[in-house]
Amino acid sequence: MNKLNIGLVGYGFMARAHSNAYLSVNQFFDLKYRPVLKGVAARDAAKVEKFAHKWGYESHYTDWRHLIADPEIDIIDIASPNDTHSEIAVTAAQAGKTILCEKPLARNLKEAQAMVDAVKKAGVRTMVWYNYRRIPAVTLAKKMIESGKLGRIYHYRAKFLQDWTISPDVPQGGTGWRLDVNAAGSGVTGDLLAHCIDTAIWLNGGIDSVSAMTETFVKERKHNLTGKMEKVGIDDASAFLARFHNGSLATFEATRYARGHKALYTLEINGEHGSIAWDLHDLHRLQWFDHKDEGTLRGWRSIHVTDGDHPYMANWWVPGLAIGYEHSFIHAIADFLNSIDGKEPAQPTFEEAMKTEHVVDAVLRSAAAGRWERVG
Amino acid sequence: MNKLNIGLVGYGFMARAHSNAYLSVNQFFDLKYRPVLKGVAARDAAKVEKFAHKWGYESHYTDWRHLIADPEIDIIDIASPNDTHSEIAVTAAQAGKTILCEKPLARNLKEAQAMVDAVKKAGVRTMVWYNYRRIPAVTLAKKMIESGKLGRIYHYRAKFLQDWTISPDVPQGGTGWRLDVNAAGSGVTGDLLAHCIDTAIWLNGGIDSVSAMTETFVKERKHNLTGKMEKVGIDDASAFLARFHNGSLATFEATRYARGHKALYTLEINGEHGSIAWDLHDLHRLQWFDHKDEGTLRGWRSIHVTDGDHPYMANWWVPGLAIGYEHSFIHAIADFLNSIDGKEPAQPTFEEAMKTEHVVDAVLRSAAAGRWERVG
Amino acid sequence: MNKLNIGLVGYGFMARAHSNAYLSVNQFFDLKYRPVLKGVAARDAAKVEKFAHKWGYESHYTDWRHLIADPEIDIIDIASPNDTHSEIAVTAAQAGKTILCEKPLARNLKEAQAMVDAVKKAGVRTMVWYNYRRIPAVTLAKKMIESGKLGRIYHYRAKFLQDWTISPDVPQGGTGWRLDVNAAGSGVTGDLLAHCIDTAIWLNGGIDSVSAMTETFVKERKHNLTGKMEKVGIDDASAFLARFHNGSLATFEATRYARGHKALYTLEINGEHGSIAWDLHDLHRLQWFDHKDEGTLRGWRSIHVTDGDHPYMANWWVPGLAIGYEHSFIHAIADFLNSIDGKEPAQPTFEEAMKTEHVVDAVLRSAAAGRWERVG
Amino acid sequence: MNKLNIGLVGYGFMARAHSNAYLSVNQFFDLKYRPVLKGVAARDAAKVEKFAHKWGYESHYTDWRHLIADPEIDIIDIASPNDTHSEIAVTAAQAGKTILCEKPLARNLKEAQAMVDAVKKAGVRTMVWYNYRRIPAVTLAKKMIESGKLGRIYHYRAKFLQDWTISPDVPQGGTGWRLDVNAAGSGVTGDLLAHCIDTAIWLNGGIDSVSAMTETFVKERKHNLTGKMEKVGIDDASAFLARFHNGSLATFEATRYARGHKALYTLEINGEHGSIAWDLHDLHRLQWFDHKDEGTLRGWRSIHVTDGDHPYMANWWVPGLAIGYEHSFIHAIADFLNSIDGKEPAQPTFEEAMKTEHVVDAVLRSAAAGRWERVG
């Protein structure tokens, strides 16, 4: 089996999810390539050493440039905060590395475009970890739509609801970088809605125009780096109306102020012949209404997506036994490794992920201007 | 429209449900007969007067014999405690009255048999108010089974769970007659399991043999009539294994000690080609799994039984708008009134309801003897 | 008991629901007043006669002016299509009648304002049948909010999803008046969103501004009255973003193109201390998340709103036994009858219902202009 | 970190689950010991080689005696069919190895007792992989019961429903060893009910007596080893009533003939102060009804068991993100490794697991004799 040396940047939540995927993928998928945990880089020396030890990385650094400079590294995997993505990716592209990057691509459209330009110029392979595409139930939804089960689409509806920042005592900055506009670029729009938008574009095509509103409920928070109360620059909540190119109407919403919801990503699509719905709190199920069912026996079916003929599931256990969140990353790397010798890249590439960046940008413009905006 | 004069015995919960059915049925069903609230009889003079006034009964008595003696009364409706059923029914039969009777038929097999003998001899029309047969979702289940949707049946499962007698302060006797063995005959076996058994026999045929256990968790309760603590003679909980004539296996259970369940009657049937499930807490839904659905898209469907082509529902509102518990009584009386000029009696007649009495008897015998018992 | 003579206009779906409420309310609620079904008026002579016979109306007419002219009629109840509301109400007000009116108040703001002006001038009592306020679970939600269970509100979310007009063969006009802009005024905005808005204002206060989009998926439909294909003037789908006076953000959506949903009105409110959610397909349940619950044991509770201490439920059956859709009308008339001798009118009065009309108007203006609009 | 060399017997479903646990546990739990995949033994030479390669076992054999003979092997892990458990375990005990064994302990009481005697005599450490104890929601249930949240227990209810053997074409023997009585010992009783019983004893204490029934719906099946139709010796379905030592009543049921259920293990416990329910199809949720909640706001809570303060969950992702089935094995091995230097063994040991064997034995005796049997 061909080995591919991974150079990971970051040691946070996503760095763990990616590392687990690298370690597990070959036990569950028959692949020609095997990722090797070659090196990891992140700011704090003690923490990166501990992380490397835990996950079995052969080397560790406090500067990601070491990874890029290392000729043995095949793949640079960016799992650090958003403000670092663009520079790392551009540098890695120039060094001819394959690049995997956590979502969102960057803090803003300009940074993202620089990344796309660089990888295009360098001709390197890329993928963005929009992991929800590879939840088996979501992949099944994609297959159903492609096979015409839903017919013409009338409505798309997505939400991503959390409640972890309601307390004004949650700080911003440092480990709380998701609340720091300088590190994150935006709040729930880039963090949560980006997921919803990526899936929506994948399932339902491009978005034409949006009308958005955002809100920052807590105006000041302590900053972990300065130690002072500072203005909060991110959006705590973001909602928008949208029209897709295919004529369907949509509502999107994300917030970290929805009490009782931890990470409730929900989506629903209503088509001429049927509807589907899914949510992350019960990620192993797909809800499906088939209008072609016998009249008096129609109803929403709850499909327990755990059978051998469901997407990805032949690689796991037996019917009825659910897999979890992190498996979506294993599926992503499996698809990526499979794509290396194929014609089609594993999606979304940086270029494909730009579509989501454009919607995010239009949403933030619309909310700021208080008017409908076209997606660029 | 032909009028049918009703003589009701009782003014409790069931007397209200029946009276409401009489008052509502002709507005929602096209029928040749119209029930008229002619008279009501019950023990307490003040209460029966108030009840008669509330519901518009033309006359009221403290002795049910007045109703039977009244030649204008066409139908005697027995909605009084179980210990009164047999005597009233036998007397009414002798007077040639049509008889409607709340379930269970009586306190025990002997009393029930006397009722059946009397009505058979008198040749009068009867019906027992096993109302759950006429919940639209349950009626739909019946139709599905009859049309072969489930194929060979392997399993039947029913429970009726409540929690209202957990406190030892709940008294027995009088208004608490359901806890008084002399008035009720048995506890949850006759009160709750009788419902489960009636539906089961209707949906799945006769029961061959049972192995049961019962328990009385609170051994003594204050008696409303004597004012003293007295031994509790009823069963608080009752469960049994059963084998049906068709070879399927069953578990049945009822209790008033299941915290969190108010009146949770549930049933599930597993057949070769599919399964159905229903419960009273969401009585407007029927769960249906069709193995003939396309493989990867199989799942339990939740049928919202509110469409015009669902049983009884064309008589109500529009799709999506649910009806409630009391409508099952309206459907029962509609079916009964429709059956008057037809060949088939509305079910269950007293004779048909004896099947349930036989199972109840076998369950109580089995629990007492600690062994399997055949249903008589 | 004091009798109140009802003069009903209309014989459709709502006329049935109101009539049933009049016939049932005194059996279930102790009231000083009893509605009497005095007269009914509607266009088709044969149909109105049949309706009168079915429901026991003493007289029937093809012209509603007869009802208003009848001095014995105390209450004019308007259950006819939207285009008739304003004229009937204004005329009834001038005759000094108490007026009950189906929602929405009228086809547009101007007509609605004329109604409010007329009843104000005449000093007559009014109520609009926004029945969902009186679903026990919704009333319970109101009580919880008022008692501070939710704290500061961050988000309000409401949808009303149906699927009955997806086929282009569904006609407009006549019995299909809801699809005829001349009769209805608007499509789902006035028909479905009006319900969502009324409840929202009641639960969460006034709405400040909206950004809306509407769509008509089927552009032409056969007209029942002309027999020809005609342009469809109503909105098939309508969605809007909103900001409430209390600072909370909202999304609203209604459509008749959401396959699998018959009448799925859903609402969810997220507050500082907890969240509530409700939907019409399981109208007897209220979902409640209490952040004050012990940390590891927090979860959404499904409250089965059927106990004696739940709103209105002491008047019905026993815990666990659900009531249905039509009971909300019975509760409405019970509240109305109770309000006659009280200081507080039963809500919403015509004046109160104008708030919803203003939001509906802003939504339609916003959708037409493609920009945020303030609620007038 | 101290290394512990694993010698695994088997390469089937359970061998994969155990191997994955060994490979993952140290990345997610801080432990003093690290399992090393030293060797694997199983019958088919080609298959075991492939398995060893896939999972990274250093060596592989077709005879498990090689593993036991290897002085470097610390732990023998038995993941082969039931008929091999006893001999392997007894031999491993004699060699002084630590032993981990898949459930059930053995085919029957006698074999199981031999295992217990051998490990007791040898004084070796043991654990049986009853993995469902370590589903976080089930562990949380255990904590709740221990802290008195439920009070006195009245009812225990468990089912394990599958549907994969309904077709008479499913063969027995070989890879179909679960249907071969010689390999499996019994059918669903030992395979599925054993899980239910283990959890029940853990949560609710010992079982006193049982009344059981079993059924074999398909009487003959092709045998994979002989190639002929042979009599089926296992039970396809098994149900029993039980009384626990604590006075609570129980129903248990397992079947492979419940259409629509893949691996639906459900349990419910009703206590004086509250009730809990859990099922394997939504394994990340625990249902909890707290009677101490405020009266009108009581309801079943659905606890999404994914928070950092939920059992085991601090080792995984962030709130809202579910883990799956295989994690229960990772938790088991983590607990086992933690127990090595502690006073308390990880449960259930072979000795503790004998309690389940005794119940299984009583169930099979009761079903055969058609009478109540005491648990030995």
Side-chain angles (χ1 to χ4, degrees):
Chain A
M1 205 178 323
N2 300 309
K3 293 185 176 178
L4 285 173
N5 290 325
I6 307 289
L8 173 74
V9 188
Y11 45 37
F13 171 23
M14 281 302 113
R16 293 175 70 227
H18 297 190
S19 298
N20 179 63
Y22 296 133
L23 284 182
S24 298
V25 68
N26 294 97
Q27 282 85 59
F28 293 97
F29 289 80
D30 285 316
L31 301 164
K32 288 200 200 151
Y33 294 89
R34 174 183 289 275
V36 175
L37 302 184
K38 200 71 182 176
V40 56
R43 272 173 296 192
D44 185 290
K47 286 185 187 169
V48 75
E49 180 179 357
K50 192 179 165 194
F51 184 91
H53 185 68
K54 190 92 180 171
W55 290 92
Y57 281 88
E58 298 175 15
S59 58
H60 52 88
Y61 311 93
T62 54
D63 185 345
W64 49 266
R65 287 167 210 275
H66 282 283
L67 295 174
I68 294 178
D70 183 347
E72 289 198 32
I73 297 281
D74 300 299
I75 297 175
I76 293 293
D77 181 4
I78 307 172
S80 43
N82 301 351
D83 54 336
T84 66
H85 289 198
S86 194
E87 190 183 6
I88 299 172
V90 169
T91 311
Q94 288 164 349
K97 305 292 190 192
T98 291
I99 312 175
L100 304 180
C101 184
E102 246 314 307
K103 49 64 54 183
L105 212 39
R107 282 181 297 186
N108 53 51
L109 203 55
K110 192 181 158 194
E111 287 184 352
Q113 190 62 53
M115 295 166 75
V116 171
D117 293 345
V119 301
K120 221 168 181 174
K121 189 173 170 194
V124 299
R125 194 181 297 276
T126 62
M127 185 179 73
V128 183
W129 294 87
Y130 276 109
N131 63 301
Y132 294 116
R133 293 186 179 205
R134 269 95 179 186
I135 299 279
V138 178
T139 313
L140 179 60
K142 172 71 171 172
K143 284 174 183 284
M144 292 168 68
I145 293 167
E146 285 185 342
S147 72
K149 290 279 181 200
L150 273 70
R152 175 180 171 188
I153 304 299
Y154 295 115
H155 291 286
Y156 195 99
R157 226 167 270 123
K159 296 191 304 280
F160 208 132
L161 308 182
Q162 300 187 331
D163 69 356
W164 62 281
T165 67
I166 294 180
S167 165
D169 298 336
V170 177
Q172 59 175 315
T175 54
W177 67 265
R178 279 183 176 79
L179 276 68
D180 178 359
V181 72
N182 292 323
S186 70
V188 297
T189 306
D191 185 24
L192 306 180
L193 280 179
H195 274 304
C196 300
I197 295 164
D198 174 72
T199 318
I201 291 173
W202 189 51
L203 297 178
N204 200 37
I207 292 174
D208 189 66
S209 54
V210 300
S211 174
M213 68 177 167
T214 59
E215 182 63 76
T216 305
F217 291 114
V218 173
K219 311 294 188 192
E220 290 198 324
R221 289 183 184 276
K222 206 189 118 185
H223 200 290
N224 274 328
L225 303 183
T226 67
K228 294 185 204 157
M229 291 298 282
E230 299 199 3
K231 188 162 179 289
V232 174
I234 59 150
D235 46 302
D236 286 338
S238 179
F240 68 95
L241 307 177
R243 288 181 181 271
F244 279 79
H245 294 323
N246 67 6
S248 60
L249 272 55
T251 61
F252 286 85
E253 183 186 3
T255 181
R256 295 183 186 132
Y257 285 71
R259 204 45 108 187
H261 301 304
K262 298 171 185 179
L264 185 69
Y265 173 13
T266 74
L267 65 86
E268 177 169 341
I269 313 178
N270 304 131
E272 189 182 356
H273 306 309
S275 290
I276 57 173
W278 172 83
D279 80 80
L280 180 54
H281 277 201
D282 294 290
L283 58 84
H284 57 302
R285 292 183 178 273
L286 184 68
Q287 312 298 324
W288 159 234
F289 180 91
D290 189 352
H291 191 66
K292 294 183 176 173
D293 280 344
E294 185 179 342
T296 57
L297 303 183
R298 285 188 200 119
W300 281 82
R301 289 185 213 167
S302 183
I303 306 172
H304 202 264
V305 188
T306 57
D307 287 351
D309 50 4
H310 284 136
Y312 302 107
M313 291 308 295
N315 300 283
W316 297 103
W317 313 106
V318 299
L321 302 182
I323 56 171
Y325 164 77
E326 77 260 32
H327 301 70
S328 58
F329 294 90
I330 303 175
H331 301 162
I333 196 63
D335 283 351
F336 180 80
L337 295 174
N338 263 326
S339 76
I340 290 177
D341 298 329
K343 287 179 184 165
E344 295 298 324
Q347 293 292 352
T349 59
F350 279 18
E351 195 168 1
E352 179 70 15
M354 272 305 284
K355 292 180 184 169
T356 290
E357 296 299 320
H358 278 292
V359 178
V360 165
D361 182 66
V363 166
L364 294 173
R365 278 189 284 122
S366 170
R371 64 167 180 246
W372 282 83
E373 293 280 342
R374 298 200 80 83
V375 175
Chain B
M1 205 176 323
N2 299 310
K3 293 184 175 179
L4 286 173
N5 290 325
I6 306 290
L8 174 74
V9 187
Y11 44 37
F13 171 24
M14 281 303 114
R16 293 176 70 229
H18 297 190
S19 298
N20 180 64
Y22 296 133
L23 284 183
S24 299
V25 68
N26 294 98
Q27 281 85 59
F28 294 97
F29 290 79
D30 284 317
L31 301 164
K32 287 200 201 151
Y33 294 89
R34 173 184 291 276
V36 174
L37 302 184
K38 199 72 182 174
V40 57
R43 272 175 294 193
D44 186 289
K47 286 185 186 168
V48 75
E49 181 179 355
K50 192 179 165 193
F51 184 92
H53 185 67
K54 190 90 178 174
W55 290 92
Y57 281 88
E58 297 176 14
S59 58
H60 52 88
Y61 311 92
T62 54
D63 186 346
W64 49 266
R65 288 167 209 276
H66 282 283
L67 294 174
I68 295 177
D70 182 348
E72 289 199 30
I73 296 280
D74 301 298
I75 297 174
I76 293 293
D77 181 3
I78 308 173
S80 44
N82 301 351
D83 56 336
T84 66
H85 289 197
S86 194
E87 189 182 6
I88 300 171
V90 170
T91 311
Q94 288 163 350
K97 305 292 190 192
T98 291
I99 312 176
L100 305 180
C101 185
E102 246 315 304
K103 48 65 54 183
L105 214 38
R107 283 181 297 186
N108 53 50
L109 203 56
K110 192 180 159 194
E111 286 184 352
Q113 191 61 53
M115 294 164 76
V116 171
D117 293 345
V119 301
K120 221 168 182 176
K121 188 172 171 194
V124 299
R125 193 181 297 275
T126 63
M127 185 179 74
V128 184
W129 294 88
Y130 277 109
N131 63 301
Y132 295 116
R133 294 186 178 205
R134 269 95 179 185
I135 299 279
V138 178
T139 313
L140 178 60
K142 172 71 170 171
K143 283 174 183 284
M144 291 168 67
I145 293 166
E146 285 185 343
S147 72
K149 292 277 181 201
L150 275 69
R152 176 180 170 189
I153 304 299
Y154 295 114
H155 291 285
Y156 195 100
R157 227 167 270 124
K159 297 191 302 282
F160 208 132
L161 308 182
Q162 300 187 330
D163 69 355
W164 62 281
T165 67
I166 294 179
S167 165
D169 298 336
V170 178
Q172 60 175 317
T175 54
W177 66 266
R178 279 183 175 78
L179 276 67
D180 177 1
V181 73
N182 292 323
S186 70
V188 297
T189 306
D191 185 23
L192 306 180
L193 280 179
H195 275 303
C196 300
I197 296 163
D198 173 73
T199 318
I201 292 172
W202 188 51
L203 297 179
N204 199 38
I207 291 174
D208 189 65
S209 55
V210 301
S211 175
M213 69 178 166
T214 58
E215 183 62 77
T216 305
F217 291 114
V218 172
K219 311 294 187 192
E220 288 197 325
R221 291 182 183 276
K222 206 188 118 186
H223 200 290
N224 273 328
L225 303 182
T226 68
K228 294 186 205 154
M229 290 299 281
E230 299 201 2
K231 186 161 180 291
V232 174
I234 60 151
D235 46 303
D236 286 338
S238 178
F240 67 95
L241 306 176
R243 288 182 181 270
F244 279 79
H245 295 323
N246 66 6
S248 59
L249 272 55
T251 61
F252 286 84
E253 183 185 3
T255 180
R256 294 182 186 133
Y257 285 71
R259 205 44 108 187
H261 301 304
K262 299 170 184 178
L264 187 67
Y265 174 12
T266 75
L267 65 87
E268 177 169 341
I269 312 178
N270 304 131
E272 189 182 356
H273 306 309
S275 290
I276 57 173
W278 172 82
D279 80 79
L280 181 53
H281 277 199
D282 294 290
L283 59 84
H284 58 301
R285 292 183 178 273
L286 185 68
Q287 312 299 324
W288 158 234
F289 180 91
D290 188 352
H291 190 66
K292 294 184 176 171
D293 280 344
E294 185 179 342
T296 56
L297 303 184
R298 283 188 201 120
W300 281 82
R301 290 184 212 169
S302 183
I303 308 172
H304 202 265
V305 188
T306 57
D307 288 351
D309 50 3
H310 284 137
Y312 302 108
M313 292 308 296
N315 300 284
W316 297 103
W317 313 106
V318 299
L321 302 182
I323 57 172
Y325 164 77
E326 77 260 32
H327 301 71
S328 57
F329 293 90
I330 302 176
H331 302 162
I333 195 64
D335 283 352
F336 180 81
L337 295 173
N338 263 325
S339 76
I340 291 177
D341 298 330
K343 286 181 185 165
E344 295 298 324
Q347 292 293 352
T349 60
F350 279 18
E351 195 168 1
E352 179 70 17
M354 272 305 283
K355 293 180 184 168
T356 290
E357 297 299 320
H358 277 292
V359 178
V360 165
D361 182 65
V363 165
L364 295 172
R365 277 189 285 122
S366 170
R371 64 166 179 247
W372 282 84
E373 293 280 342
R374 298 200 80 82
V375 175
Chain C
M1 207 178 321
N2 301 309
K3 294 183 176 178
L4 285 173
N5 290 325
I6 306 290
L8 173 74
V9 187
Y11 45 36
F13 171 22
M14 282 301 115
R16 292 175 71 229
H18 298 190
S19 298
N20 179 64
Y22 297 133
L23 283 182
S24 298
V25 67
N26 294 98
Q27 282 85 58
F28 293 98
F29 289 80
D30 284 317
L31 301 163
K32 286 197 203 155
Y33 295 88
R34 174 183 291 274
V36 175
L37 302 184
K38 200 71 183 176
V40 56
R43 274 175 293 192
D44 186 287
K47 286 185 185 168
V48 75
E49 180 180 355
K50 192 179 165 195
F51 184 91
H53 185 68
K54 190 91 176 174
W55 289 92
Y57 282 87
E58 298 175 14
S59 58
H60 51 88
Y61 312 93
T62 54
D63 185 346
W64 49 266
R65 287 166 210 276
H66 282 284
L67 294 175
I68 295 178
D70 183 347
E72 287 199 33
I73 297 281
D74 300 300
I75 297 175
I76 293 295
D77 181 4
I78 307 172
S80 44
N82 301 350
D83 56 334
T84 66
H85 289 197
S86 194
E87 188 183 6
I88 299 172
V90 170
T91 311
Q94 288 163 349
K97 304 293 189 191
T98 291
I99 311 175
L100 304 180
C101 185
E102 245 315 305
K103 51 62 56 184
L105 212 38
R107 283 183 295 186
N108 53 50
L109 203 55
K110 191 180 159 194
E111 286 185 353
Q113 190 61 54
M115 294 165 77
V116 172
D117 293 345
V119 301
K120 220 168 182 175
K121 188 172 170 194
V124 298
R125 193 181 298 274
T126 63
M127 186 179 73
V128 183
W129 293 88
Y130 276 110
N131 63 301
Y132 294 116
R133 294 187 179 205
R134 269 94 179 185
I135 298 280
V138 178
T139 313
L140 178 59
K142 171 72 170 172
K143 283 175 184 283
M144 291 168 67
I145 292 167
E146 285 186 341
S147 72
K149 291 278 181 201
L150 274 71
R152 177 180 169 187
I153 304 300
Y154 295 114
H155 292 286
Y156 195 99
R157 227 167 271 124
K159 297 191 301 282
F160 207 132
L161 308 181
Q162 300 187 330
D163 69 355
W164 62 282
T165 67
I166 293 179
S167 166
D169 298 335
V170 178
Q172 59 175 317
T175 54
W177 66 266
R178 280 183 175 79
L179 276 68
D180 177 0
V181 71
N182 293 322
S186 70
V188 296
T189 306
D191 185 23
L192 305 180
L193 280 178
H195 274 303
C196 301
I197 296 164
D198 175 72
T199 318
I201 292 173
W202 188 51
L203 296 179
N204 199 37
I207 291 174
D208 190 65
S209 55
V210 302
S211 174
M213 67 177 168
T214 59
E215 183 61 79
T216 304
F217 291 114
V218 173
K219 311 294 188 193
E220 289 198 326
R221 290 182 183 276
K222 205 188 118 186
H223 199 291
N224 274 326
L225 303 183
T226 69
K228 296 186 202 154
M229 290 298 281
E230 300 201 0
K231 186 161 180 289
V232 174
I234 59 150
D235 46 301
D236 286 340
S238 179
F240 68 94
L241 307 176
R243 290 182 180 270
F244 280 78
H245 295 323
N246 67 6
S248 58
L249 272 55
T251 62
F252 286 84
E253 184 185 3
T255 181
R256 293 183 188 134
Y257 284 72
R259 203 45 107 188
H261 301 302
K262 299 169 184 179
L264 186 67
Y265 173 12
T266 74
L267 65 87
E268 176 169 342
I269 313 178
N270 304 132
E272 189 184 357
H273 306 309
S275 290
I276 57 175
W278 172 83
D279 79 80
L280 180 54
H281 277 200
D282 294 291
L283 59 83
H284 58 302
R285 292 183 178 273
L286 184 68
Q287 313 298 325
W288 158 233
F289 180 90
D290 189 352
H291 191 66
K292 293 184 175 172
D293 280 345
E294 187 179 341
T296 56
L297 303 183
R298 284 188 200 118
W300 282 81
R301 289 183 213 169
S302 183
I303 307 172
H304 203 264
V305 188
T306 57
D307 288 350
D309 50 3
H310 284 138
Y312 302 108
M313 292 307 296
N315 299 284
W316 297 102
W317 313 106
V318 300
L321 302 182
I323 56 172
Y325 164 76
E326 77 260 33
H327 300 72
S328 58
F329 293 90
I330 303 176
H331 301 163
I333 196 64
D335 284 351
F336 180 80
L337 295 173
N338 263 325
S339 76
I340 291 176
D341 298 331
K343 287 180 184 164
E344 295 298 324
Q347 292 293 351
T349 60
F350 280 18
E351 195 169 0
E352 180 69 16
M354 273 304 283
K355 292 179 184 168
T356 290
E357 296 298 320
H358 277 292
V359 178
V360 164
D361 180 66
V363 165
L364 295 172
R365 278 189 284 123
S366 170
R371 64 166 180 247
W372 282 84
E373 293 280 342
R374 299 201 78 83
V375 175
Chain D
M1 207 177 322
N2 300 309
K3 294 183 176 179
L4 286 173
N5 289 326
I6 307 290
L8 174 74
V9 187
Y11 46 36
F13 171 23
M14 281 301 113
R16 292 175 71 230
H18 297 190
S19 298
N20 179 63
Y22 296 134
L23 284 182
S24 298
V25 67
N26 294 98
Q27 282 85 58
F28 294 97
F29 288 80
D30 285 316
L31 301 164
K32 287 199 203 151
Y33 294 89
R34 174 183 290 275
V36 174
L37 302 184
K38 200 72 183 174
V40 57
R43 273 175 294 193
D44 185 289
K47 286 185 186 168
V48 75
E49 180 179 357
K50 192 179 166 195
F51 185 91
H53 185 69
K54 190 90 178 173
W55 290 92
Y57 281 87
E58 298 175 14
S59 58
H60 51 88
Y61 311 93
T62 55
D63 186 344
W64 49 265
R65 288 167 210 276
H66 283 283
L67 294 175
I68 294 177
D70 183 347
E72 288 199 32
I73 297 280
D74 300 299
I75 297 175
I76 293 293
D77 182 4
I78 307 171
S80 44
N82 301 350
D83 55 337
T84 67
H85 289 197
S86 195
E87 190 183 6
I88 300 172
V90 169
T91 311
Q94 288 163 351
K97 306 292 189 191
T98 291
I99 313 175
L100 305 180
C101 185
E102 245 315 305
K103 50 63 54 183
L105 214 37
R107 283 182 296 187
N108 53 51
L109 204 54
K110 192 180 159 194
E111 287 185 351
Q113 190 61 55
M115 295 165 77
V116 171
D117 292 345
V119 301
K120 222 170 179 173
K121 189 172 170 195
V124 299
R125 193 181 297 275
T126 63
M127 186 179 73
V128 183
W129 294 88
Y130 276 110
N131 63 300
Y132 294 116
R133 294 186 179 205
R134 268 93 179 187
I135 299 280
V138 178
T139 313
L140 179 60
K142 172 70 169 171
K143 284 176 183 284
M144 291 168 67
I145 293 166
E146 284 186 342
S147 72
K149 290 278 181 201
L150 275 70
R152 176 180 170 187
I153 304 299
Y154 295 114
H155 291 286
Y156 195 100
R157 226 166 270 125
K159 298 191 302 281
F160 206 133
L161 307 182
Q162 300 187 331
D163 68 356
W164 62 280
T165 67
I166 293 179
S167 166
D169 298 335
V170 178
Q172 59 175 317
T175 54
W177 67 266
R178 280 185 175 78
L179 277 65
D180 177 0
V181 72
N182 292 323
S186 69
V188 297
T189 306
D191 184 24
L192 305 181
L193 280 179
H195 274 304
C196 300
I197 295 164
D198 174 73
T199 318
I201 292 172
W202 189 51
L203 296 179
N204 200 37
I207 291 173
D208 190 65
S209 54
V210 301
S211 175
M213 67 177 169
T214 59
E215 182 63 77
T216 304
F217 291 113
V218 173
K219 311 293 188 195
E220 289 197 325
R221 291 182 183 276
K222 205 189 117 185
H223 199 289
N224 275 328
L225 303 183
T226 67
K228 295 185 203 154
M229 290 298 282
E230 299 202 2
K231 186 161 180 291
V232 174
I234 60 151
D235 45 303
D236 286 339
S238 179
F240 67 95
L241 307 177
R243 289 182 181 269
F244 279 79
H245 295 322
N246 67 6
S248 59
L249 272 56
T251 62
F252 287 84
E253 183 184 4
T255 181
R256 294 183 187 133
Y257 285 72
R259 204 45 109 187
H261 301 302
K262 300 171 185 178
L264 186 67
Y265 174 12
T266 74
L267 65 86
E268 176 169 341
I269 313 178
N270 304 131
E272 189 183 357
H273 306 309
S275 290
I276 57 174
W278 172 82
D279 79 80
L280 181 55
H281 277 200
D282 294 292
L283 60 83
H284 58 301
R285 292 183 177 274
L286 184 68
Q287 312 298 324
W288 159 234
F289 180 90
D290 189 353
H291 191 65
K292 294 183 175 172
D293 280 345
E294 186 180 341
T296 56
L297 302 184
R298 283 188 201 120
W300 281 81
R301 289 184 214 169
S302 183
I303 306 173
H304 202 265
V305 188
T306 56
D307 288 350
D309 50 3
H310 285 136
Y312 301 108
M313 291 309 295
N315 300 284
W316 296 103
W317 313 106
V318 299
L321 301 182
I323 57 172
Y325 164 76
E326 77 260 33
H327 300 71
S328 58
F329 293 91
I330 303 175
H331 301 163
I333 196 63
D335 283 352
F336 180 79
L337 295 174
N338 263 326
S339 77
I340 290 177
D341 298 330
K343 288 180 184 166
E344 295 297 324
Q347 291 293 350
T349 60
F350 279 18
E351 193 168 3
E352 179 69 16
M354 273 303 285
K355 292 180 184 170
T356 291
E357 296 298 321
H358 277 292
V359 178
V360 164
D361 181 67
V363 165
L364 294 172
R365 279 190 282 124
S366 171
R371 64 166 180 247
W372 282 85
E373 293 281 343
R374 300 201 77 83
V375 175

